[in-house]
Amino acid sequence: MDNIQIRKFNDEDADVVKELFTLGMSEHVPSSFVHVLKQPLTQMVLMCMFCALLTSSKSFLLPVLAVTFCLAGARQMVVYMFNKYIESTLRKDLNNISETYLKGKDSCFWVADSDGRVVGSVACLPAEDAPGCLKLKRMSVRRSHRGMGIAKALCRTVAEFTRDRGYGAVILQTSVVQTDAQKLYEHMGYKKIREFVVPEFLAKILNFTLLEYRLDLQQD
């Protein structure tokens, strides 16, 4: 952390922040695909298809090819979900970070700067569905700089900002496949308060669950 500075976002950081977010989200495609394969519905469909084709064709080749194509289709569906989320996030707030996060006194966006290079980011703003809380968002650390305490420093920055603004807690949401993020937040004192399935149709089919965490803060 010797060469790492946590500072407020400026407009020159915009392209790097968007790249950082896109790369970070894309990393979760493989683990999300594994999550899909572990679902009972997925396994049942693949097994039924394999047995039906094996019985009708009297050959292993056709059912194996069919299952392979289905797996490829499932992976493309996961990629589509992530691309859709990335595009939506870029459009909603990361294309205009200053307007979204820097206009109000109770919201902010920070970057982790390593010798002039942005290697991490985090933001917060008032939580719409949790009065008295700020919501931590857009946490990301470049893969080459993980394990250096940057994510912890970003978490502490949000907690200090939240306390200084007189809010009682920080909340955040992460996905069931982001196990490293879950470990980080729990290490920082966050408690899991609920689980829920993403409302989009594909997410419901795939049982793609989000986890909500909360960090209660002691006021000075």
Side-chain angles (χ1 to χ4, degrees), residues 187-217:
H187 178 77
M188 298 300 293
Y190 284 82
K191 304 297 183 184
K192 185 168 65 176
I193 56 175
R194 69 177 180 126
E195 299 183 14
F196 60 99
V197 177
V198 181
E200 281 75 9
F201 178 70
L202 279 178
K204 286 184 176 180
I205 292 177
L206 303 176
N207 193 32
F208 197 79
T209 307
L210 291 182
L211 312 176
E212 185 166 283
Y213 283 84
R214 177 184 175 112
L215 176 67
D216 288 306
L217 301 171

PDB file of all heavy atoms in Angstrom, residues 187-217:
ATOM      1  N   HIS A 187     -14.870 -10.137   6.540  1.00  0.00           N
ATOM      2  CA  HIS A 187     -13.659  -9.799   7.288  1.00  0.00           C
ATOM      3  C   HIS A 187     -13.703  -8.348   7.763  1.00  0.00           C
ATOM      4  O   HIS A 187     -13.179  -8.027   8.845  1.00  0.00           O
ATOM      5  CB  HIS A 187     -12.425 -10.016   6.403  1.00  0.00           C
ATOM      6  CG  HIS A 187     -11.128  -9.637   7.070  1.00  0.00           C
ATOM      7  ND1 HIS A 187     -10.519 -10.436   8.014  1.00  0.00           N
ATOM      8  CD2 HIS A 187     -10.333  -8.528   6.937  1.00  0.00           C
ATOM      9  CE1 HIS A 187      -9.409  -9.846   8.429  1.00  0.00           C
ATOM     10  NE2 HIS A 187      -9.280  -8.695   7.796  1.00  0.00           N
ATOM     11  N   MET A 188     -14.342  -7.475   6.986  1.00  0.00           N
ATOM     12  CA  MET A 188     -14.432  -6.056   7.332  1.00  0.00           C
ATOM     13  C   MET A 188     -15.583  -5.771   8.297  1.00  0.00           C
ATOM     14  O   MET A 188     -15.824  -4.612   8.651  1.00  0.00           O
ATOM     15  CB  MET A 188     -14.602  -5.220   6.070  1.00  0.00           C
ATOM     16  CG  MET A 188     -13.446  -5.303   5.088  1.00  0.00           C
ATOM     17  SD  MET A 188     -11.867  -4.741   5.783  1.00  0.00           S
ATOM     18  CE  MET A 188     -12.192  -2.993   6.008  1.00  0.00           C
ATOM     19  N   GLY A 189     -16.287  -6.818   8.715  1.00  0.00           N
ATOM     20  CA  GLY A 189     -17.328  -6.642   9.721  1.00  0.00           C
ATOM     21  C   GLY A 189     -18.748  -6.602   9.197  1.00  0.00           C
ATOM     22  O   GLY A 189     -19.696  -6.406   9.974  1.00  0.00           O
ATOM     23  N   TYR A 190     -18.924  -6.774   7.910  1.00  0.00           N
ATOM     24  CA  TYR A 190     -20.269  -6.786   7.336  1.00  0.00           C
ATOM     25  C   TYR A 190     -20.988  -8.078   7.711  1.00  0.00           C
ATOM     26  O   TYR A 190     -20.385  -9.147   7.784  1.00  0.00           O
ATOM     27  CB  TYR A 190     -20.205  -6.683   5.814  1.00  0.00           C
ATOM     28  CG  TYR A 190     -19.906  -5.291   5.290  1.00  0.00           C
ATOM     29  CD1 TYR A 190     -18.604  -4.811   5.239  1.00  0.00           C
ATOM     30  CD2 TYR A 190     -20.933  -4.469   4.827  1.00  0.00           C
ATOM     31  CE1 TYR A 190     -18.318  -3.541   4.753  1.00  0.00           C
ATOM     32  CE2 TYR A 190     -20.656  -3.196   4.334  1.00  0.00           C
ATOM     33  CZ  TYR A 190     -19.356  -2.740   4.301  1.00  0.00           C
ATOM     34  OH  TYR A 190     -19.073  -1.482   3.822  1.00  0.00           O
ATOM     35  N   LYS A 191     -22.300  -7.967   7.918  1.00  0.00           N
ATOM     36  CA  LYS A 191     -23.134  -9.120   8.237  1.00  0.00           C
ATOM     37  C   LYS A 191     -24.144  -9.332   7.106  1.00  0.00           C
ATOM     38  O   LYS A 191     -24.774  -8.381   6.646  1.00  0.00           O
ATOM     39  CB  LYS A 191     -23.893  -8.907   9.547  1.00  0.00           C
ATOM     40  CG  LYS A 191     -22.999  -8.580  10.745  1.00  0.00           C
ATOM     41  CD  LYS A 191     -22.054  -9.715  11.073  1.00  0.00           C
ATOM     42  CE  LYS A 191     -21.221  -9.382  12.313  1.00  0.00           C
ATOM     43  NZ  LYS A 191     -20.218 -10.432  12.615  1.00  0.00           N
ATOM     44  N   LYS A 192     -24.292 -10.589   6.688  1.00  0.00           N
ATOM     45  CA  LYS A 192     -25.285 -10.899   5.651  1.00  0.00           C
ATOM     46  C   LYS A 192     -26.673 -10.785   6.248  1.00  0.00           C
ATOM     47  O   LYS A 192     -26.967 -11.403   7.275  1.00  0.00           O
ATOM     48  CB  LYS A 192     -25.042 -12.290   5.081  1.00  0.00           C
ATOM     49  CG  LYS A 192     -25.961 -12.649   3.924  1.00  0.00           C
ATOM     50  CD  LYS A 192     -25.510 -13.911   3.207  1.00  0.00           C
ATOM     51  CE  LYS A 192     -25.604 -15.125   4.101  1.00  0.00           C
ATOM     52  NZ  LYS A 192     -25.267 -16.381   3.393  1.00  0.00           N
ATOM     53  N   ILE A 193     -27.537 -10.002   5.595  1.00  0.00           N
ATOM     54  CA  ILE A 193     -28.876  -9.782   6.155  1.00  0.00           C
ATOM     55  C   ILE A 193     -29.985 -10.403   5.306  1.00  0.00           C
ATOM     56  O   ILE A 193     -31.085 -10.636   5.803  1.00  0.00           O
ATOM     57  CB  ILE A 193     -29.159  -8.279   6.373  1.00  0.00           C
ATOM     58  CG1 ILE A 193     -28.990  -7.484   5.063  1.00  0.00           C
ATOM     59  CG2 ILE A 193     -28.244  -7.724   7.449  1.00  0.00           C
ATOM     60  CD1 ILE A 193     -29.371  -6.015   5.202  1.00  0.00           C
ATOM     61  N   ARG A 194     -29.729 -10.690   4.053  1.00  0.00           N
ATOM     62  CA  ARG A 194     -30.763 -11.360   3.259  1.00  0.00           C
ATOM     63  C   ARG A 194     -30.184 -11.878   1.938  1.00  0.00           C
ATOM     64  O   ARG A 194     -29.120 -11.436   1.504  1.00  0.00           O
ATOM     65  CB  ARG A 194     -31.948 -10.439   2.973  1.00  0.00           C
ATOM     66  CG  ARG A 194     -31.673  -9.275   2.020  1.00  0.00           C
ATOM     67  CD  ARG A 194     -32.938  -8.474   1.763  1.00  0.00           C
ATOM     68  NE  ARG A 194     -32.714  -7.361   0.866  1.00  0.00           N
ATOM     69  CZ  ARG A 194     -33.405  -7.148  -0.245  1.00  0.00           C
ATOM     70  NH1 ARG A 194     -34.362  -7.987  -0.616  1.00  0.00           N
ATOM     71  NH2 ARG A 194     -33.149  -6.097  -1.015  1.00  0.00           N
ATOM     72  N   GLU A 195     -30.919 -12.803   1.342  1.00  0.00           N
ATOM     73  CA  GLU A 195     -30.618 -13.324   0.015  1.00  0.00           C
ATOM     74  C   GLU A 195     -31.874 -13.188  -0.843  1.00  0.00           C
ATOM     75  O   GLU A 195     -32.983 -13.357  -0.346  1.00  0.00           O
ATOM     76  CB  GLU A 195     -30.208 -14.796   0.075  1.00  0.00           C
ATOM     77  CG  GLU A 195     -28.964 -15.077   0.889  1.00  0.00           C
ATOM     78  CD  GLU A 195     -28.575 -16.544   0.855  1.00  0.00           C
ATOM     79  OE1 GLU A 195     -29.116 -17.289  -0.004  1.00  0.00           O
ATOM     80  OE2 GLU A 195     -27.740 -16.950   1.680  1.00  0.00           O
ATOM     81  N   PHE A 196     -31.683 -12.883  -2.113  1.00  0.00           N
ATOM     82  CA  PHE A 196     -32.837 -12.785  -3.007  1.00  0.00           C
ATOM     83  C   PHE A 196     -32.397 -13.069  -4.439  1.00  0.00           C
ATOM     84  O   PHE A 196     -31.234 -12.854  -4.810  1.00  0.00           O
ATOM     85  CB  PHE A 196     -33.505 -11.411  -2.909  1.00  0.00           C
ATOM     86  CG  PHE A 196     -32.610 -10.252  -3.263  1.00  0.00           C
ATOM     87  CD1 PHE A 196     -32.657  -9.675  -4.519  1.00  0.00           C
ATOM     88  CD2 PHE A 196     -31.727  -9.734  -2.322  1.00  0.00           C
ATOM     89  CE1 PHE A 196     -31.838  -8.603  -4.838  1.00  0.00           C
ATOM     90  CE2 PHE A 196     -30.896  -8.658  -2.635  1.00  0.00           C
ATOM     91  CZ  PHE A 196     -30.958  -8.092  -3.895  1.00  0.00           C
ATOM     92  N   VAL A 197     -33.339 -13.563  -5.241  1.00  0.00           N
ATOM     93  CA  VAL A 197     -33.054 -13.892  -6.636  1.00  0.00           C
ATOM     94  C   VAL A 197     -33.243 -12.648  -7.493  1.00  0.00           C
ATOM     95  O   VAL A 197     -34.208 -11.888  -7.302  1.00  0.00           O
ATOM     96  CB  VAL A 197     -33.977 -15.025  -7.134  1.00  0.00           C
ATOM     97  CG1 VAL A 197     -33.736 -15.312  -8.606  1.00  0.00           C
ATOM     98  CG2 VAL A 197     -33.743 -16.288  -6.305  1.00  0.00           C
ATOM     99  N   VAL A 198     -32.322 -12.424  -8.415  1.00  0.00           N
ATOM    100  CA  VAL A 198     -32.421 -11.299  -9.341  1.00  0.00           C
ATOM    101  C   VAL A 198     -33.753 -11.400 -10.092  1.00  0.00           C
ATOM    102  O   VAL A 198     -34.131 -12.490 -10.551  1.00  0.00           O
ATOM    103  CB  VAL A 198     -31.242 -11.323 -10.336  1.00  0.00           C
ATOM    104  CG1 VAL A 198     -31.312 -10.141 -11.297  1.00  0.00           C
ATOM    105  CG2 VAL A 198     -29.924 -11.298  -9.573  1.00  0.00           C
ATOM    106  N   PRO A 199     -34.498 -10.298 -10.233  1.00  0.00           N
ATOM    107  CA  PRO A 199     -35.848 -10.377 -10.803  1.00  0.00           C
ATOM    108  C   PRO A 199     -35.926 -10.702 -12.293  1.00  0.00           C
ATOM    109  O   PRO A 199     -36.977 -11.108 -12.780  1.00  0.00           O
ATOM    110  CB  PRO A 199     -36.420  -8.972 -10.529  1.00  0.00           C
ATOM    111  CG  PRO A 199     -35.225  -8.088 -10.358  1.00  0.00           C
ATOM    112  CD  PRO A 199     -34.177  -8.954  -9.732  1.00  0.00           C
ATOM    113  N   GLU A 200     -34.829 -10.535 -13.052  1.00  0.00           N
ATOM    114  CA  GLU A 200     -34.884 -10.818 -14.475  1.00  0.00           C
ATOM    115  C   GLU A 200     -35.227 -12.294 -14.728  1.00  0.00           C
ATOM    116  O   GLU A 200     -34.846 -13.169 -13.951  1.00  0.00           O
ATOM    117  CB  GLU A 200     -33.551 -10.481 -15.161  1.00  0.00           C
ATOM    118  CG  GLU A 200     -33.353  -8.999 -15.444  1.00  0.00           C
ATOM    119  CD  GLU A 200     -33.015  -8.195 -14.193  1.00  0.00           C
ATOM    120  OE1 GLU A 200     -32.765  -8.821 -13.147  1.00  0.00           O
ATOM    121  OE2 GLU A 200     -33.013  -6.957 -14.255  1.00  0.00           O
ATOM    122  N   PHE A 201     -35.928 -12.547 -15.839  1.00  0.00           N
ATOM    123  CA  PHE A 201     -36.436 -13.886 -16.142  1.00  0.00           C
ATOM    124  C   PHE A 201     -35.326 -14.928 -16.194  1.00  0.00           C
ATOM    125  O   PHE A 201     -35.420 -15.989 -15.569  1.00  0.00           O
ATOM    126  CB  PHE A 201     -37.196 -13.850 -17.472  1.00  0.00           C
ATOM    127  CG  PHE A 201     -37.715 -15.192 -17.909  1.00  0.00           C
ATOM    128  CD1 PHE A 201     -38.753 -15.802 -17.228  1.00  0.00           C
ATOM    129  CD2 PHE A 201     -37.146 -15.854 -18.989  1.00  0.00           C
ATOM    130  CE1 PHE A 201     -39.230 -17.050 -17.617  1.00  0.00           C
ATOM    131  CE2 PHE A 201     -37.612 -17.097 -19.389  1.00  0.00           C
ATOM    132  CZ  PHE A 201     -38.664 -17.699 -18.700  1.00  0.00           C
ATOM    133  N   LEU A 202     -34.247 -14.632 -16.934  1.00  0.00           N
ATOM    134  CA  LEU A 202     -33.149 -15.595 -17.052  1.00  0.00           C
ATOM    135  C   LEU A 202     -32.522 -15.883 -15.692  1.00  0.00           C
ATOM    136  O   LEU A 202     -32.184 -17.028 -15.374  1.00  0.00           O
ATOM    137  CB  LEU A 202     -32.083 -15.061 -18.015  1.00  0.00           C
ATOM    138  CG  LEU A 202     -32.342 -15.223 -19.509  1.00  0.00           C
ATOM    139  CD1 LEU A 202     -31.206 -14.607 -20.305  1.00  0.00           C
ATOM    140  CD2 LEU A 202     -32.500 -16.699 -19.865  1.00  0.00           C
ATOM    141  N   ALA A 203     -32.372 -14.842 -14.890  1.00  0.00           N
ATOM    142  CA  ALA A 203     -31.767 -15.017 -13.571  1.00  0.00           C
ATOM    143  C   ALA A 203     -32.631 -15.907 -12.693  1.00  0.00           C
ATOM    144  O   ALA A 203     -32.121 -16.723 -11.915  1.00  0.00           O
ATOM    145  CB  ALA A 203     -31.556 -13.655 -12.916  1.00  0.00           C
ATOM    146  N   LYS A 204     -33.954 -15.761 -12.796  1.00  0.00           N
ATOM    147  CA  LYS A 204     -34.848 -16.605 -12.008  1.00  0.00           C
ATOM    148  C   LYS A 204     -34.713 -18.065 -12.415  1.00  0.00           C
ATOM    149  O   LYS A 204     -34.684 -18.963 -11.572  1.00  0.00           O
ATOM    150  CB  LYS A 204     -36.290 -16.134 -12.178  1.00  0.00           C
ATOM    151  CG  LYS A 204     -36.620 -14.852 -11.434  1.00  0.00           C
ATOM    152  CD  LYS A 204     -38.090 -14.511 -11.562  1.00  0.00           C
ATOM    153  CE  LYS A 204     -38.432 -13.277 -10.743  1.00  0.00           C
ATOM    154  NZ  LYS A 204     -39.865 -12.927 -10.849  1.00  0.00           N
ATOM    155  N   ILE A 205     -34.635 -18.312 -13.731  1.00  0.00           N
ATOM    156  CA  ILE A 205     -34.487 -19.680 -14.218  1.00  0.00           C
ATOM    157  C   ILE A 205     -33.192 -20.305 -13.697  1.00  0.00           C
ATOM    158  O   ILE A 205     -33.147 -21.464 -13.306  1.00  0.00           O
ATOM    159  CB  ILE A 205     -34.511 -19.702 -15.757  1.00  0.00           C
ATOM    160  CG1 ILE A 205     -35.906 -19.338 -16.270  1.00  0.00           C
ATOM    161  CG2 ILE A 205     -34.107 -21.079 -16.293  1.00  0.00           C
ATOM    162  CD1 ILE A 205     -36.011 -19.274 -17.767  1.00  0.00           C
ATOM    163  N   LEU A 206     -32.125 -19.487 -13.688  1.00  0.00           N
ATOM    164  CA  LEU A 206     -30.814 -19.984 -13.296  1.00  0.00           C
ATOM    165  C   LEU A 206     -30.571 -19.895 -11.791  1.00  0.00           C
ATOM    166  O   LEU A 206     -29.491 -20.245 -11.318  1.00  0.00           O
ATOM    167  CB  LEU A 206     -29.725 -19.197 -14.045  1.00  0.00           C
ATOM    168  CG  LEU A 206     -29.817 -19.226 -15.574  1.00  0.00           C
ATOM    169  CD1 LEU A 206     -28.744 -18.336 -16.187  1.00  0.00           C
ATOM    170  CD2 LEU A 206     -29.681 -20.655 -16.089  1.00  0.00           C
ATOM    171  N   ASN A 207     -31.578 -19.400 -11.048  1.00  0.00           N
ATOM    172  CA  ASN A 207     -31.465 -19.253  -9.599  1.00  0.00           C
ATOM    173  C   ASN A 207     -30.233 -18.422  -9.225  1.00  0.00           C
ATOM    174  O   ASN A 207     -29.454 -18.788  -8.335  1.00  0.00           O
ATOM    175  CB  ASN A 207     -31.397 -20.629  -8.918  1.00  0.00           C
ATOM    176  CG  ASN A 207     -31.586 -20.539  -7.421  1.00  0.00           C
ATOM    177  OD1 ASN A 207     -32.298 -19.677  -6.931  1.00  0.00           O
ATOM    178  ND2 ASN A 207     -30.947 -21.432  -6.684  1.00  0.00           N
ATOM    179  N   PHE A 208     -30.067 -17.297  -9.905  1.00  0.00           N
ATOM    180  CA  PHE A 208     -28.910 -16.433  -9.672  1.00  0.00           C
ATOM    181  C   PHE A 208     -29.227 -15.512  -8.502  1.00  0.00           C
ATOM    182  O   PHE A 208     -30.027 -14.585  -8.610  1.00  0.00           O
ATOM    183  CB  PHE A 208     -28.568 -15.632 -10.924  1.00  0.00           C
ATOM    184  CG  PHE A 208     -27.190 -15.059 -10.900  1.00  0.00           C
ATOM    185  CD1 PHE A 208     -26.097 -15.862 -11.190  1.00  0.00           C
ATOM    186  CD2 PHE A 208     -26.979 -13.735 -10.573  1.00  0.00           C
ATOM    187  CE1 PHE A 208     -24.809 -15.348 -11.154  1.00  0.00           C
ATOM    188  CE2 PHE A 208     -25.700 -13.208 -10.535  1.00  0.00           C
ATOM    189  CZ  PHE A 208     -24.608 -14.019 -10.832  1.00  0.00           C
ATOM    190  N   THR A 209     -28.583 -15.772  -7.373  1.00  0.00           N
ATOM    191  CA  THR A 209     -28.924 -15.126  -6.109  1.00  0.00           C
ATOM    192  C   THR A 209     -27.988 -13.965  -5.791  1.00  0.00           C
ATOM    193  O   THR A 209     -26.780 -14.033  -6.028  1.00  0.00           O
ATOM    194  CB  THR A 209     -28.847 -16.146  -4.960  1.00  0.00           C
ATOM    195  OG1 THR A 209     -29.653 -17.277  -5.297  1.00  0.00           O
ATOM    196  CG2 THR A 209     -29.332 -15.556  -3.661  1.00  0.00           C
ATOM    197  N   LEU A 210     -28.570 -12.898  -5.236  1.00  0.00           N
ATOM    198  CA  LEU A 210     -27.791 -11.789  -4.700  1.00  0.00           C
ATOM    199  C   LEU A 210     -27.819 -11.841  -3.177  1.00  0.00           C
ATOM    200  O   LEU A 210     -28.805 -12.277  -2.571  1.00  0.00           O
ATOM    201  CB  LEU A 210     -28.352 -10.445  -5.171  1.00  0.00           C
ATOM    202  CG  LEU A 210     -28.193 -10.116  -6.656  1.00  0.00           C
ATOM    203  CD1 LEU A 210     -28.757  -8.725  -6.943  1.00  0.00           C
ATOM    204  CD2 LEU A 210     -26.744 -10.203  -7.098  1.00  0.00           C
ATOM    205  N   LEU A 211     -26.735 -11.403  -2.559  1.00  0.00           N
ATOM    206  CA  LEU A 211     -26.609 -11.351  -1.111  1.00  0.00           C
ATOM    207  C   LEU A 211     -26.501  -9.894  -0.695  1.00  0.00           C
ATOM    208  O   LEU A 211     -25.763  -9.119  -1.315  1.00  0.00           O
ATOM    209  CB  LEU A 211     -25.373 -12.106  -0.638  1.00  0.00           C
ATOM    210  CG  LEU A 211     -25.154 -13.512  -1.222  1.00  0.00           C
ATOM    211  CD1 LEU A 211     -23.840 -14.088  -0.729  1.00  0.00           C
ATOM    212  CD2 LEU A 211     -26.303 -14.427  -0.868  1.00  0.00           C
ATOM    213  N   GLU A 212     -27.221  -9.532   0.346  1.00  0.00           N
ATOM    214  CA  GLU A 212     -27.131  -8.163   0.866  1.00  0.00           C
ATOM    215  C   GLU A 212     -26.417  -8.188   2.208  1.00  0.00           C
ATOM    216  O   GLU A 212     -26.753  -8.985   3.091  1.00  0.00           O
ATOM    217  CB  GLU A 212     -28.511  -7.545   1.003  1.00  0.00           C
ATOM    218  CG  GLU A 212     -28.481  -6.082   1.420  1.00  0.00           C
ATOM    219  CD  GLU A 212     -29.813  -5.381   1.228  1.00  0.00           C
ATOM    220  OE1 GLU A 212     -30.148  -5.039   0.079  1.00  0.00           O
ATOM    221  OE2 GLU A 212     -30.539  -5.206   2.237  1.00  0.00           O
ATOM    222  N   TYR A 213     -25.431  -7.298   2.346  1.00  0.00           N
ATOM    223  CA  TYR A 213     -24.644  -7.182   3.573  1.00  0.00           C
ATOM    224  C   TYR A 213     -24.842  -5.804   4.195  1.00  0.00           C
ATOM    225  O   TYR A 213     -25.141  -4.826   3.508  1.00  0.00           O
ATOM    226  CB  TYR A 213     -23.161  -7.385   3.275  1.00  0.00           C
ATOM    227  CG  TYR A 213     -22.736  -8.815   3.073  1.00  0.00           C
ATOM    228  CD1 TYR A 213     -22.877  -9.439   1.831  1.00  0.00           C
ATOM    229  CD2 TYR A 213     -22.174  -9.557   4.110  1.00  0.00           C
ATOM    230  CE1 TYR A 213     -22.483 -10.756   1.627  1.00  0.00           C
ATOM    231  CE2 TYR A 213     -21.772 -10.874   3.917  1.00  0.00           C
ATOM    232  CZ  TYR A 213     -21.934 -11.468   2.683  1.00  0.00           C
ATOM    233  OH  TYR A 213     -21.542 -12.768   2.496  1.00  0.00           O
ATOM    234  N   ARG A 214     -24.631  -5.748   5.521  1.00  0.00           N
ATOM    235  CA  ARG A 214     -24.780  -4.486   6.246  1.00  0.00           C
ATOM    236  C   ARG A 214     -23.654  -4.346   7.254  1.00  0.00           C
ATOM    237  O   ARG A 214     -23.304  -5.303   7.955  1.00  0.00           O
ATOM    238  CB  ARG A 214     -26.139  -4.441   6.951  1.00  0.00           C
ATOM    239  CG  ARG A 214     -26.380  -3.184   7.802  1.00  0.00           C
ATOM    240  CD  ARG A 214     -27.696  -3.276   8.537  1.00  0.00           C
ATOM    241  NE  ARG A 214     -27.873  -2.139   9.446  1.00  0.00           N
ATOM    242  CZ  ARG A 214     -28.775  -1.187   9.269  1.00  0.00           C
ATOM    243  NH1 ARG A 214     -29.595  -1.228   8.225  1.00  0.00           N
ATOM    244  NH2 ARG A 214     -28.889  -0.183  10.140  1.00  0.00           N
ATOM    245  N   LEU A 215     -23.105  -3.132   7.331  1.00  0.00           N
ATOM    246  CA  LEU A 215     -22.092  -2.792   8.330  1.00  0.00           C
ATOM    247  C   LEU A 215     -22.643  -1.674   9.190  1.00  0.00           C
ATOM    248  O   LEU A 215     -22.822  -0.544   8.723  1.00  0.00           O
ATOM    249  CB  LEU A 215     -20.793  -2.337   7.661  1.00  0.00           C
ATOM    250  CG  LEU A 215     -19.684  -1.853   8.595  1.00  0.00           C
ATOM    251  CD1 LEU A 215     -19.145  -3.012   9.444  1.00  0.00           C
ATOM    252  CD2 LEU A 215     -18.552  -1.188   7.817  1.00  0.00           C
ATOM    253  N   ASP A 216     -22.932  -1.985  10.466  1.00  0.00           N
ATOM    254  CA  ASP A 216     -23.407  -0.961  11.394  1.00  0.00           C
ATOM    255  C   ASP A 216     -22.209  -0.214  11.955  1.00  0.00           C
ATOM    256  O   ASP A 216     -21.208  -0.816  12.365  1.00  0.00           O
ATOM    257  CB  ASP A 216     -24.212  -1.611  12.525  1.00  0.00           C
ATOM    258  CG  ASP A 216     -25.569  -2.117  12.026  1.00  0.00           C
ATOM    259  OD1 ASP A 216     -26.313  -1.314  11.431  1.00  0.00           O
ATOM    260  OD2 ASP A 216     -25.846  -3.323  12.204  1.00  0.00           O
ATOM    261  N   LEU A 217     -22.332   1.106  12.005  1.00  0.00           N
ATOM    262  CA  LEU A 217     -21.217   1.959  12.411  1.00  0.00           C
ATOM    263  C   LEU A 217     -21.488   2.583  13.773  1.00  0.00           C
ATOM    264  O   LEU A 217     -22.621   2.988  14.053  1.00  0.00           O
ATOM    265  CB  LEU A 217     -21.003   3.068  11.374  1.00  0.00           C
ATOM    266  CG  LEU A 217     -20.711   2.598   9.955  1.00  0.00           C
ATOM    267  CD1 LEU A 217     -20.751   3.778   8.992  1.00  0.00           C
ATOM    268  CD2 LEU A 217     -19.360   1.906   9.888  1.00  0.00           C
TER     269      LEU A 217
END
